[in-house]
Amino acid sequence: MRGLLFRSTLSRDIRAPTLPELYTANVSTLPRPVTSGANADLRPAFVSLPAYAFDSFTGGNTNLKPEGSKTFTAGFVVQPRALKDRVQFSVDFYRIRVRDAIGAIGSSTIIQNCLGGGSAQASNPYCQLITFANNDLTNGAIVAVNGANANFAEFRTKGLDFAFSVQQPLNEVSANLPGRLSFTTQATHVIEYRASTDVSLLYPNGVNRAGQTGALFGGTAGLPSWSVNANLDYRVAKFDINAQVRYISQSHQNNALIGPVESGYSTTLFNSINNNIIPAVTYLNLGISYDLGRDGVRSEIYLTVNNVTDKDPPLPAINNNAYYDLLGRSYRVGVRFGF
């Protein structure tokens, strides 16, 4: 069918470990972490033991393997010929899985995931990172925890990408209207985002971090459920005026926790907090430029105003600069030269 294109990709990608990930010297955490009682090591056998310290090591690992990932996408593009190919709309589904991801785990997480059931198991990969006194997994005290870099993590995500664009010379609308108007927008809807580092006794299947833009009390960083970027551009002669709108949907501080407006909330539960909602945010940026170039060489002077409404970052995500503007309204003036 004319104006309709189907597309799909399947790829295998790798990332080799960096030099710091391989060769950073191993060091022991100072001061040494201290555990005592069942609340510390989650094993009843330790209730009667006095407090003790253990070594927690961090650093590089020369035995690291390359990370591997598989990516699958499938979608379609619509570009109607009747509209002179000036309108384009596309939808793509994506699924990405990363295995043997390189990273490090905190000693408390390692202990929790090893001993959370009350006893250590030799087959548990987290227990393999712990050295027990006399190699006794049943009664031996924790001597050391190896938190050095390792190929321990797996990530998987899936979602939908949307795109729409239209360009319209205004003289086709009216002979008295100069210039060209362009509108483009891209939107991403994250359906699932999970990491093996979230697997625990409480969450055996991990935690879906789609719709999370905070990381209260630790946990894997998440992704907003919806993020949208829209641009409106007007060009006439050598002037260009543009407006950008950026939208981040309502999110959670931590998808492993429960807030008052969510089912299952109780002040007596350890996973309940008094505020788990991060409100939706919309930002407006404006810009204007003038082309100074001659003979096909592009040079321009420009002015940009970001966060025009001076919107504050939403609570409780005031430290997340990946999605939110932490600076407030800002101005930028400059000159670009082409050679």
Side-chain angles (χ1 to χ4, degrees):
M1 180 183 298
R2 296 181 61 187
L4 177 63
L5 171 69
F6 292 96
R7 59 190 181 187
S8 180
T9 63
L10 179 63
S11 66
R12 164 76 173 171
D13 306 287
I14 61 172
R15 184 186 77 86
T18 65
L19 293 178
E21 289 171 339
L22 288 167
Y23 301 112
T24 299
N26 276 212
V27 295
S28 178
T29 301
L30 295 175
R32 301 169 75 196
V34 175
T35 67
S36 65
N39 289 333
D41 54 37
L42 305 178
R43 182 160 56 192
F46 284 147
V47 172
S48 61
L49 295 179
Y52 65 92
F54 62 89
D55 290 312
S56 178
F57 293 97
T58 60
N61 181 355
T62 56
N63 295 318
L64 291 175
K65 302 181 297 182
E67 297 176 344
S69 70
K70 290 183 179 180
T71 301
F72 169 75
T73 68
F76 64 89
V77 181
V78 178
Q79 192 170 17
R81 299 292 179 87
L83 299 177
K84 301 179 181 180
D85 295 332
R86 290 177 180 159
V87 176
Q88 186 177 91
F89 173 72
S90 67
V91 179
D92 291 281
F93 168 81
Y94 66 86
R95 184 178 66 233
I96 304 170
R97 187 170 188 173
V98 181
R99 291 183 173 179
D100 296 326
I102 299 169
I105 317 175
S107 58
S108 60
T109 301
I110 293 173
I111 294 173
Q112 168 72 34
N113 289 338
C114 171
L115 302 175
S119 63
Q121 302 293 329
S123 59
N124 186 326
Y126 291 97
C127 294
Q128 296 171 13
L129 300 175
I130 301 175
T131 301
F132 295 94
N134 301 317
N135 292 322
D136 186 349
L137 276 66
T138 302
N139 298 304
I142 296 175
V143 176
V145 178
N146 184 5
N149 292 329
N151 295 97
F152 71 92
E154 178 179 315
F155 299 92
R156 65 179 188 271
T157 184
K158 62 181 178 181
L160 295 168
D161 286 333
F162 302 86
F164 175 79
S165 66
V166 58
Q167 298 186 24
Q168 180 60 56
L170 295 182
N171 59 9
E172 293 183 356
V173 179
S174 172
N176 297 321
L177 293 176
R180 183 189 65 189
L181 195 64
S182 301
F183 175 77
T184 61
T185 184
Q186 299 87 33
T188 296
H189 174 45
V190 180
I191 299 172
E192 180 184 37
Y193 178 64
R194 296 180 184 270
S196 60
T197 51
D198 278 328
V199 175
S200 63
L201 293 175
L202 184 61
Y203 298 102
N205 296 318
V207 179
N208 184 4
R209 299 288 180 176
Q212 172 188 307
T213 55
L216 187 64
F217 306 131
T220 301
L223 299 169
S225 178
W226 282 95
S227 56
V228 182
N229 285 281
N231 292 272
L232 182 65
D233 184 90
Y234 174 62
R235 175 174 289 275
V236 57
K238 293 191 174 186
F239 281 98
D240 187 274
I241 303 171
N242 62 81
Q244 179 193 51
V245 174
R246 189 162 63 90
Y247 170 80
I248 302 99
S249 63
Q250 177 178 289
S251 302
H252 286 127
Q253 175 74 326
N254 192 323
N255 282 357
L257 304 178
I258 303 172
V261 298
E262 300 169 274
S263 61
Y265 172 81
S266 172
T267 55
T268 62
L269 296 177
F270 76 94
N271 63 339
S272 293
I273 57 174
N274 60 4
N275 185 8
N276 198 29
I277 299 298
I278 299 174
V281 174
T282 301
Y283 293 106
L284 173 64
N285 305 322
L286 298 176
I288 184 171
S289 65
Y290 179 76
D291 189 356
L292 302 172
R294 293 182 178 179
D295 300 327
V297 178
R298 182 176 177 81
S299 301
E300 64 179 13
I301 183 171
Y302 66 90
L303 167 66
T304 301
V305 184
N306 293 319
N307 194 357
V308 173
T309 59
D310 198 23
K311 188 180 294 293
D312 293 329
L315 294 173
I318 58 174
N319 294 320
N320 189 340
N321 61 0
Y323 304 109
Y324 305 111
D325 189 317
L326 309 185
L327 183 62
R329 185 187 300 116
S330 62
Y331 304 86
R332 180 179 297 175
V333 178
V335 179
R336 297 188 182 96
F337 293 97
F339 298 95

